[in-house]
Amino acid sequence: MATAFAISLVIGLLGLVVWIILRSLAVNAPQWERADPERRFGVNGRRVLGALTGFGIAGLSAFYAARDIDNWLIAVLAVTGGTAAGWYAGRIGDAGSAGVG
């Protein structure tokens, strides 16, 4: 089970790094506008990356913090963490979430 959490975390973090690099290129260099992940994937893309990263972090945390609990409870905690991270990643950029507007 720890392998699934680790793979999710690595994919999420690599996706986040690629997202940040492509976004910064698209904002600063006009020829990179087509590669902008905000235009291509938008809020749903951010939610997926947040959910993958949150699932991996929450799963590994639950797995190593409480090794004596059942696997199904670890999975529930991991899914809960991934859902919360995905929801929060989708809220970033909203005027209401930052207290602006």
Side-chain angles (χ1 to χ4, degrees):
M1 238 174 135
T3 305
F5 299 139
I7 290 171
S8 172
L9 180 60
V10 167
I11 291 172
L13 289 177
L14 286 176
L16 178 63
V17 168
V18 169
W19 187 286
I20 290 170
I21 291 170
L22 287 177
R23 180 69 177 152
S24 65
L25 284 172
V27 168
N28 294 313
Q31 64 269 25
W32 281 89
E33 272 187 20
R34 287 184 34 213
D36 186 5
E38 284 293 324
R39 283 183 40 194
R40 298 181 93 192
F41 305 111
V43 174
N44 290 332
R46 278 190 277 147
R47 284 187 175 146
V48 168
L49 285 178
L52 278 171
T53 306
F55 177 77
I57 290 172
L60 286 173
S61 297
F63 184 78
Y64 287 111
R67 293 180 71 90
D68 56 339
I69 63 174
D70 292 333
N71 283 338
W72 65 270
L73 185 56
I74 293 172
V76 167
L77 291 171
V79 168
T80 304
T83 303
W87 174 81
Y88 182 73
R91 298 269 304 160
I92 294 174
D94 289 347
S97 68
V100 177

